[in-house]
């Protein structure tokens, strides 16, 4: 079966966005989106773990018995999360400090386990890598946008660059994180609904056109 | 025997065991390759406090010498950092205990002699912690409250940092009192050491 890479990409970023559509990985989403840069750091870490774990699980999918697939997946994911921790501590200590407790929590991030179970364990390595990549990009984009929004309104800065002195403390607080998350889910659902409606109208028009063509053919034959 | 090796039970256990072995081997190799030495950590702390890596001399290194112990914590590293030709700072790595669940907080504390000849705490940053769960409440403004202008005077007057709001040098945090207590104890180790060993 030929892999539809375009569908994998659009699923990861838009139609099946793990943060805004599937509502997975809400713990780091709420806790780390105080700044845009935090979203990028977390997104990169999760993307790396997603790609590596998806690849390895896909390669081992015919070897791992289904009875122990979950513990096997968690072992694989935990290994890559530890590798990310070691890399960040050595190469990007600022990112390591910012991510703090949420870095080891990537092991139990639902996005990674869900993709391992629902995609990587059933598809080939190349498709699994693409799925991990685009899911990670979707996660990173959602976190970065939310972080930028909260940073802009909460402290008047973006990516650490102060733009204005005006700030609304609410958006830097925990309550603000929930509000922002709900707002972004609502906006995303609205956009998704408009796109789906347009697609349905387009599909209906195509269906009507094909049916009318069929009935013309039948009339001509008669 | 053949049935045993072909059994599902054996396949499950052996698969998990092999994954564990490969993971363990790769992680042990990588942790050696990506090891961050204590000198690297010191360089990072110095860069964070002083803006760039400076030359420094080791006055005390807890890995070689004995640490300076108090009831409320200990100092395991002291460096003399040469910021410029005529200016040098003392940099302490101090750990305060009596935190949440008996845990600890380690801080880097920069001390300098100011123009009046007194010792003052210039900057405090976090190094690490153990068993504390509410470290996000210890913000930069909390650490900024440790900027004491006269350390030896505070020691002589018994004005160590506490979480009690009725004391002169109080630095509490609502909802993270024990963690604040451990951080205060780390700073108090430095104040006590300087009070006992340095004269104005």
């Amino acid at each position: 079966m030929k892999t539809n890479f375009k569908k994998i990409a659009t699923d990861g970023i838009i139609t099946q966005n793990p943060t805004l559509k599937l509502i997975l990985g809400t713990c780091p989403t709420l806790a780390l989106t105080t700044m845009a840069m935090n979203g990028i750091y977390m997104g990169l870490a999760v993307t790396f773990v997603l790609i590596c774990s998806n690849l390895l699980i896909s390669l081992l999918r015919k070897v791992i018995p289904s009875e122990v697939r979950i513990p096997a997946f968690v072992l694989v994911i935990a290994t890559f999360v530890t590798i990310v921790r070691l890399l960040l501590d050595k190469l990007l200590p600022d990112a390591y400090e910012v991510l703090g407790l949420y870095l080891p929590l990537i092991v139990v991030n639902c996005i990674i386990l869900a993709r391992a179970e629902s995609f990587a364990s059933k598809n080939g390595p190349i498709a699994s890598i693409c799925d991990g990549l685009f899911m990670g990009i979707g996660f990173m984009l959602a976190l970065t946008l939310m972080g930028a929004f909260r940073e802009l309104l909460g402290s008047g800065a973006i990516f650490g660059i102060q733009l204005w002195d005006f700030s609304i403390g609410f958006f830097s607080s925990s309550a603000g994180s929930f509000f922002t998350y709900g707002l972004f889910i609502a906006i995303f659902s609205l956009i998704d609904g408009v796109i789906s409606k347009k697609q349905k109208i387009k599909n209906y028009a195509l269906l009507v056109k094909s049916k009318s063509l069929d009935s013309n053919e039948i009339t001509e034959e008669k | 025997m053949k049935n045993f090796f072909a059994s599902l039970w054996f396949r499950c256990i052996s698969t998990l065991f092999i994954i564990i072995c490969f993971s363990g081997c790769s992680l042990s190799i990588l942790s050696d390759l990506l090891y961050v030495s204590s000198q690297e950590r010191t360089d990072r702390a110095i860069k964070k406090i002083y803006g760039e890596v400076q030359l420094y001399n080791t006055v005390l290194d807890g890995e070689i010498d004995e640490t300076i112990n108090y009831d409320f914590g200990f100092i395991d590293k002291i460096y003399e950092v040469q910021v410029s030709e005529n200016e040098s700072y003392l940099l302490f790595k101090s750990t305060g205990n009596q935190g949440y669940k008996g845990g600890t907080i380690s801080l880097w504390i920069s001390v300098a002699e100011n123009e009046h000849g007194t010792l003052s705490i210039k900057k405090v940053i976090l190094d690490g912690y153990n068993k504390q769960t509410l470290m996000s409440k210890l913000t930069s403004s909390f650490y900024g409250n440790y900027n004491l202008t006269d350390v030896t005077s505070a020691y002589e007057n018994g004005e160590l940092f506490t979480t009690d709001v009725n004391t002169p040098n109080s630095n509490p945090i609502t909802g993270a009192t024990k963690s604040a207590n451990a951080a205060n104890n780390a700073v108090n180790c430095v104040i006590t050491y300087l009070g006992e060993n340095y004269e104005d």
Side-chain angles (χ1 to χ4, degrees):
Chain A
M1 194 168 72
K2 206 175 172 184
T3 312
N4 189 346
F5 291 107
K6 190 181 171 189
K7 186 177 185 302
I8 291 173
T10 49
D11 275 354
I13 297 173
I14 305 167
T15 52
Q16 298 287 310
N17 185 291
T19 310
L20 299 175
K21 181 78 176 180
L22 302 181
I23 322 292
L24 296 175
T26 53
C27 180
T29 304
L30 293 169
L32 289 173
T33 50
T34 49
M35 290 168 62
M37 208 61 213
N38 295 359
I40 290 184
Y41 287 145
M42 190 64 179
L44 287 173
V46 166
T47 304
F48 177 84
V49 175
L50 264 171
I51 292 171
C52 296
S53 59
N54 271 13
L55 171 64
L56 193 58
I57 288 166
S58 177
L59 290 171
L60 297 175
R61 68 188 187 282
K62 291 176 183 170
V63 173
I64 298 173
S66 67
E67 286 80 3
V68 291
R69 67 187 189 285
I70 299 298
F73 295 168
V74 173
L75 276 171
V76 168
I77 293 165
T79 304
F80 286 113
V81 169
T82 309
I83 291 170
V84 167
R85 285 189 70 196
L86 292 170
L87 282 169
L88 285 179
D89 193 18
K90 182 75 176 178
L91 303 172
L92 286 172
D94 291 340
Y96 182 79
E97 213 174 288
V98 156
L99 293 177
L101 180 65
Y102 298 97
L103 197 47
L105 279 181
I106 292 173
V107 177
V108 292
N109 191 322
C110 301
I111 299 168
I112 300 172
L113 202 55
R115 296 323 292 171
E117 167 75 0
S118 64
F119 195 94
S121 60
K122 294 167 186 164
N123 291 277
I126 306 293
S128 298
I129 289 172
C130 290
D131 180 73
L133 174 67
F134 290 108
M135 279 286 165
I137 289 172
F139 179 70
M140 184 165 64
L141 277 172
L143 257 66
T144 307
L145 284 170
M146 283 176 60
F149 179 80
R150 286 181 69 195
E151 194 182 359
L152 207 57
L153 292 177
S155 56
I158 191 159
F159 291 103
I161 302 165
Q162 197 71 31
L163 294 177
W164 51 67
D165 288 330
F166 174 75
S167 65
I168 306 169
F170 171 75
F171 287 100
S172 300
S173 69
S174 310
S177 70
F178 280 92
F179 177 83
T180 306
Y181 195 21
L183 183 68
F184 270 72
I185 291 171
I187 294 170
F188 187 83
S189 301
L190 192 69
I191 296 170
D192 192 43
V194 166
I195 294 172
S196 307
K197 203 174 177 181
K198 280 187 181 172
Q199 191 63 35
K200 274 183 188 170
I201 294 169
K202 196 176 166 186
N203 290 344
Y204 181 73
L206 282 169
L207 185 70
V208 163
K209 194 178 175 185
S210 65
K211 276 192 173 171
S212 68
L213 277 171
D214 287 343
S215 65
N216 283 343
E217 279 174 9
I218 293 166
T219 315
E220 278 176 15
E221 276 172 17
K222 278 183 182 172
Chain B
M1 197 67 173
K2 204 175 171 182
N3 287 340
F4 170 75
F5 286 115
S7 67
L8 178 64
W9 179 90
F10 178 78
R11 276 179 50 225
C12 290
I13 299 294
S14 57
T15 306
L16 289 175
F17 185 72
I18 289 166
I19 293 174
I20 289 166
C21 286
F22 271 110
S23 299
C25 287
S26 54
L27 286 176
S28 60
I29 293 167
L30 282 170
S31 69
D32 271 343
L33 288 174
L34 299 171
Y35 175 68
V36 180
S37 62
S38 62
Q39 183 167 352
E40 262 184 273
R41 293 199 189 277
T42 304
D43 287 344
R44 281 180 195 174
I46 289 173
K47 194 175 174 184
K48 219 170 177 177
I49 293 174
Y50 303 108
E52 53 184 30
V53 177
Q54 309 280 350
L55 292 169
Y56 60 90
N57 302 320
T58 306
V59 176
L60 171 82
D61 186 347
E63 288 170 25
I64 305 163
D65 314 308
E66 253 189 62
T67 58
I68 300 165
N69 295 309
Y70 300 102
D71 290 338
F72 40 84
F74 60 91
I75 298 170
D76 62 338
K77 287 191 199 304
I78 305 175
Y79 299 103
E80 192 180 348
V81 182
Q82 206 69 35
V83 177
S84 63
E85 262 187 48
N86 304 321
E87 207 181 352
S88 67
Y89 283 48
L90 280 176
L91 182 64
F92 294 84
K93 183 168 164 265
S94 173
T95 300
N97 51 24
Q98 298 170 12
Y100 180 67
K101 286 191 178 176
T104 58
I105 289 178
S106 297
L107 302 175
W108 287 100
I109 299 161
S110 169
V111 173
E113 194 173 326
N114 54 28
E115 54 196 21
H116 306 295
T118 54
L119 291 172
S120 62
I121 293 176
K122 292 292 187 189
K123 197 164 182 181
V124 175
I125 61 169
L126 178 69
D127 175 61
Y129 53 90
N130 181 32
K131 296 185 189 175
Q132 309 308 296
T133 55
L134 294 171
M135 289 307 293
S136 59
K137 285 183 176 272
L138 275 65
T139 57
S140 52
S141 62
F142 172 81
Y143 297 118
N145 292 337
Y146 289 128
N147 293 353
L148 254 186
T149 49
D150 192 342
V151 174
T152 44
S153 171
Y155 173 74
E156 281 160 12
N157 296 335
E159 291 169 355
L160 297 180
F161 281 96
T162 69
T163 52
D164 183 357
V165 294
N166 297 319
T167 55
N169 282 329
S170 122
N171 200 15
I173 293 181
T174 311
T177 307
K178 289 197 180 275
S179 296
N181 190 42
N184 289 340
N185 284 341
V187 177
N188 292 338
C189 289
V190 172
I191 295 172
T192 307
Y193 173 80
L194 291 171
E196 287 172 353
N197 294 285
Y198 281 79
E199 280 178 19
D200 291 335

